[in-house]
Amino acid sequence: MLKFPKNFHIGASMSAMQTEGKGITEIGDLTFDAYFKENPELFYHGVGPDLTSDITRHYKDDIAKFKYIGLDSVRTGFSWARLFPDGINLNKEAVKFYHDYIDEYFKNDIEIIMTLFHFDMPLWAHELGGWESREVIEKFISYCEFVFKQYGSKIDYFVTFNEPLVPVFEGYVGKMHYPAKDSPKEAVAQAYGIFLAHAKAVKLFKELKIDSKIGVVYNWNFTFPFSDSAEDKISAEIYDAYVNRGPLNIMYNGNINPIIIKTLEEYNITPFHTSEEIEIIKQTKIDFLGVNYYFPCRVKTNENVKNRWALDQMHIEIPADAKINPFRGWEIYPEGLYDISIAIKEELNNIPWYIAENGMGVENEDRFRNVNGQIDDDYRIEFLETHMSELKRGLDAGSNCFGYHIWAAIDCWSFRNAYKNRYGLIEVDLKDQSRKFKKSAYWYKELIENKE
Ligand code: BG6
């Protein structure tokens, strides 16, 4: 079995919206509540975001289960809409809930990493224009200030944004998140607002001298050209600038790739910005990086292009002989974790980093239930083993990686897919919200016990 060093963190991820649902305190509506209300048929089996894994009621038992597995760290998040349901007034019950919740991790010796924004846009903020609105950004910064001051002494790692551009691509060109538009110009304006909000949150955190660390969790689904052709290489470079290294670098140290500036100008979609804002962005300096890795992006040039923005020139294609997770349609390529490890070492000054998400979502796991009622998820064990081996290779080559978190600690609700693809080490039975370890939980436990 794989052996990681004793001080290497092995844990699991979740997010607020995907586990809390409406929960035990008041919470303001999110864009996903509106989406579900307007189009319930778009959600797998008509399951919306109301209940999810109901963790605000189950957290004591769930954390006991995390402890049993041996997780030394867990990432979840604060819900902006729970702490400030209308964006203005503080919800005191929510403040208490998060103290109790965090304390429970503490009692169990589990370090907690808290995300401030994980796709959970309050509806009021969206109605004000989302991240394009400077008013929304200021409200976000007030929420951050509250959280830093209130919980700063209890949290070792704060994450500003999880996969910052996913709600932008999925909501403004991909039609998977609210408001399901198809407008590159708006996508770019929303993305810029996120960069600004991130930079301001990091700046505030440093000014407040909070005694913990701040970073971002970026979905670095490593870029490769699909072929050796000159066209695919250029497309991959542009794709990387827009989707992978480009935004990641802006959030890492405020470095804006000239390809982005040039191509936005070419298509006349440069977002509104001021020189003061750009200065704030350029001063960004995070303490650590979280990387979510699920699949590689093999970029192929399009023959017919819509030509509204640079990304219209290309698409992602999976090679015919590649291994694939058919339930999610994602290529399985563990070697990507080694590539990321080396890229961080060589390109990002070997910043302390960890795998914040990596995992395998499978549909109808009931098929794999054994006579004792346990799901024998050998495919997940294989996924973990192959990916973690590649990460270990990166560690051995000197990459400054301090941990690995599987997505997910427990089955989570997933946006339009709801509970279609299950990712957890722990199964959630939607009939009665009961929980059961899957085989992978015992494998993970052994892996953790095997550290030396
Ligand atoms: C990441 C997100 O994109 O991948 C999670 O940070 C998400 O929120 C996970 O659940 C798995 O993707 P999906 O879409 O299958 O749930």
Side-chain angles (χ1 to χ4, degrees), residues 220-269:
W220 195 350
N221 293 313
F222 216 73
T223 317
F224 299 95
F226 187 81
S227 74
D228 280 342
S229 74
E231 290 85 4
D232 284 355
K233 283 184 183 160
I234 294 171
S235 295
E237 203 183 339
I238 297 174
Y239 186 88
D240 203 44
Y242 272 75
V243 182
N244 284 326
R245 281 188 180 82
L248 169 58
N249 270 296
I250 298 175
M251 300 182 99
Y252 161 68
N253 69 356
N255 186 2
I256 307 173
N257 186 327
I259 293 178
I260 306 180
I261 299 174
K262 185 170 156 279
T263 50
L264 289 179
E265 279 169 4
E266 265 168 34
Y267 288 93
N268 201 19
I269 53 171

Side-chain angles (χ1 to χ4, degrees), residues 15 18 75 118-119 162-163 166 219 292 294 328 330 357 361 407 412-415 417 421 423:
S15 82
Q18 295 174 266
R75 178 171 68 108
H118 189 133
F119 307 173
N162 172 79
E163 303 199 348
V166 166
N219 44 313
N292 293 354
Y294 288 92
R328 197 59 182 83
W330 288 344
E357 286 183 31
W407 180 271
C412 290
W413 182 85
S414 166
F415 314 98
N417 276 334
N421 300 319
Y423 286 86

Side-chain angles (χ1 to χ4, degrees), residues 208-332:
L208 292 173
K209 298 195 176 3
I210 305 294
D211 186 19
S212 66
K213 296 189 172 57
I214 193 155
V216 68
V217 166
Y218 201 82
N219 44 313
W220 195 350
N221 293 313
F222 216 73
T223 317
F224 299 95
F226 187 81
S227 74
D228 280 342
S229 74
E231 290 85 4
D232 284 355
K233 283 184 183 160
I234 294 171
S235 295
E237 203 183 339
I238 297 174
Y239 186 88
D240 203 44
Y242 272 75
V243 182
N244 284 326
R245 281 188 180 82
L248 169 58
N249 270 296
I250 298 175
M251 300 182 99
Y252 161 68
N253 69 356
N255 186 2
I256 307 173
N257 186 327
I259 293 178
I260 306 180
I261 299 174
K262 185 170 156 279
T263 50
L264 289 179
E265 279 169 4
E266 265 168 34
Y267 288 93
N268 201 19
I269 53 171
T270 304
F272 169 80
H273 59 278
T274 66
S275 48
E276 288 81 16
E277 290 174 351
I278 296 287
E279 226 15 74
I280 295 173
I281 291 174
K282 285 194 164 157
Q283 280 164 18
T284 313
K285 200 173 177 309
I286 52 171
D287 302 317
F288 75 98
L289 175 66
V291 173
N292 293 354
Y293 174 75
Y294 288 92
F295 53 87
C297 294
R298 304 195 192 273
V299 184
K300 192 166 180 184
T301 309
N302 286 344
E303 306 214 325
N304 300 311
V305 293
K306 276 197 201 156
N307 241 359
R308 302 162 308 165
W309 67 335
L311 285 180
D312 280 340
Q313 295 169 29
M314 64 209 65
H315 67 276
I316 302 304
E317 196 161 307
I318 300 178
D321 58 351
K323 205 168 171 208
I324 187 170
N325 171 358
F327 312 104
R328 197 59 182 83
W330 288 344
E331 183 181 339
I332 299 180

